[in-house]
Amino acid sequence: SLIVKLAIVICALWFLYTEILKNEDIDKIRSYYVLLSSNQFTSLGLLLSLLLMPINWFLETKKWQYLVSKIEHVSTTNAIKAILSGITISAIMPNRTGEFLGRIAYVNNADRIKAALITIIGSLSQLTVTIFFGGLALITLLLQNRFNIESIMQYSLCIILFCIVTMAPIFYFNSSLIFTITKNIKVLNRLTKYAHVFKTYSFNELKNTLYFSFGRYFTFTTQFIILLHIFNVDISITNAIMAISAAFFVIATIPTPALIEIGIREATSLLFIGLFSVNQIGIISATFTLWLINIAIPSLLG
């Protein structure tokens, strides 16, 4: 156990080192920081973004604690440790898929496979919120013809996105179908006793879980808007919300290897926020700082 933990810590620290110090834009970002450091508004904005970070992860803590209470009571202290441990492990895995590995370590008496599946329910709720708002943002950008593509392609993509936006909450609120599938397919029968956990949550409980996820979404979107403005990215709040939502949609739905995560985040932000602003280094700096606050710092704590 100790060897595994040490290996995870070493891998996570190496990942953070490569993402921060080996980032090809780090010199430009550092210079931009120095340029803006004398501005009091910059310091206040960075402080506010930093103060929103614990709110972001505390909401995730309460969400997981709320969900896992079905099988075991986990104290708030242990729940916070579980969330931070999950962030650390996720730092070295694509699309933050390792969260459940850190969390189930803090489940003592209950079935850990069920605890892992419960974590998936929490992740599904966050993904549902991201897909819903991101899909609507992309549809709006397409209808505004921001991407200069043919009308037939534009409307085809809008229809596909509308179907995705509609199906995401339907699937989320009917995740108990996973239990039905495992029950009726012979090969998956052995998983039925674990998948039963999907049937134990009522519509209201799943709805309450979405509230936690929306709270997180609102928090890190607010952080991003603040950071864009302190790095002199000239964009209205309405356009920023649209561009950020579209970027989060793409980041959440495409497979992203851990080693190029920050590069994908920066490229995606440039693609969408760049539709409204030409300040590329400001966009990159804001994206990098958001990752530093919400992922790197919690990973080190984890």
Side-chain angles (χ1 to χ4, degrees):
S1 175
L2 181 60
I3 291 170
V4 170
K5 288 175 184 175
L6 284 172
I8 290 169
V9 170
I10 291 167
C11 289
L13 288 174
W14 175 77
F15 169 75
L16 293 172
Y17 168 78
T18 56
E19 288 289 272
I20 296 170
L21 297 181
K22 296 296 182 181
N23 188 317
E24 60 183 22
D25 295 311
I26 195 64
D27 289 333
K28 294 178 184 177
I29 294 170
R30 190 186 293 115
S31 300
Y32 206 55
Y33 271 122
V34 172
L35 184 65
L36 298 173
S37 60
S38 58
N39 189 329
Q40 189 177 10
F41 178 65
T42 302
S43 301
L44 288 172
L46 284 171
L47 179 61
L48 180 56
S49 298
L50 195 59
L51 290 174
L52 285 172
M53 181 266 284
I55 294 174
N56 173 19
W57 289 113
F58 185 72
L59 285 169
E60 180 65 17
T61 298
K62 299 308 289 184
K63 179 174 74 175
W64 183 71
Q65 195 179 22
Y66 174 74
L67 287 168
V68 85
S69 64
K70 282 280 185 181
I71 60 172
E72 182 178 320
H73 172 73
V74 178
S75 68
T76 300
T77 302
N78 279 340
I80 292 171
K81 291 178 182 177
I83 296 302
L84 291 175
S85 298
I87 299 168
T88 304
I89 296 174
S90 286
I92 56 177
M93 300 186 76
N95 285 68
R96 324 220 61 75
T97 50
E99 287 183 350
F100 71 93
L101 291 173
R103 298 184 190 187
I104 61 175
Y106 287 87
V107 175
N108 297 317
N109 302 315
D111 190 305
R112 289 186 172 180
I113 295 178
K114 287 184 179 179
L117 294 176
I118 286 171
T119 299
I120 290 172
I121 294 173
S123 297
L124 275 177
S125 75
Q126 198 66 56
L127 185 61
T128 299
V129 171
T130 303
I131 287 175
F132 184 80
F133 289 108
L136 291 178
L138 279 169
I139 290 170
T140 305
L141 291 172
L142 283 164
L143 292 176
Q144 291 176 351
N145 199 25
R146 294 283 181 178
F147 303 106
N148 296 317
I149 57 177
E150 296 292 330
S151 295
I152 184 79
M153 177 66 75
Q154 179 180 313
Y155 290 114
S156 298
L157 287 172
C158 284
I159 292 169
I160 292 169
L161 285 166
F162 180 77
C163 291
I164 293 171
V165 166
T166 305
M167 290 304 296
I170 291 174
F171 175 78
Y172 171 71
F173 282 110
N174 291 277
S175 54
S176 58
L177 288 172
I178 295 172
F179 168 75
T180 307
I181 292 168
T182 59
K183 187 178 179 181
N184 294 323
I185 297 177
K186 192 174 181 180
V187 183
L188 302 176
N189 275 349
R190 292 177 63 186
L191 299 175
T192 302
K193 67 174 182 177
Y194 302 114
H196 185 268
V197 74
F198 288 103
K199 283 183 69 70
T200 60
Y201 292 94
S202 67
F203 179 86
N204 281 334
E205 287 172 326
L206 291 173
K207 183 179 68 177
N208 291 339
T209 305
L210 273 184
Y211 291 150
F212 284 114
S213 295
F214 175 74
R216 284 196 64 212
Y217 191 86
F218 177 79
T219 302
F220 51 68
T221 299
T222 301
Q223 284 177 298
F224 209 166
I225 292 171
I226 292 169
L227 291 170
L228 286 172
H229 279 84
I230 67 173
F231 286 114
N232 291 333
V233 177
D234 186 19
I235 184 172
S236 70
I237 291 178
T238 303
N239 288 336
I241 291 170
M242 273 199 302
I244 290 168
S245 296
F248 284 156
F249 177 96
V250 172
I251 292 166
T253 54
I254 62 170
T256 307
L259 290 177
I260 60 168
E261 180 186 340
I262 188 63
I264 294 293
R265 285 173 180 265
E266 290 175 356
T268 307
S269 297
L270 282 172
L271 173 64
F272 293 108
I273 301 171
L275 294 171
F276 304 98
S277 174
V278 295
N279 185 359
Q280 292 193 351
I281 187 59
I283 296 169
I284 290 172
S285 298
T287 307
F288 179 79
T289 306
L290 184 71
W291 176 87
L292 200 67
I293 291 171
N294 283 344
I295 304 298
I297 294 173
S299 291
L300 289 171
L301 293 172

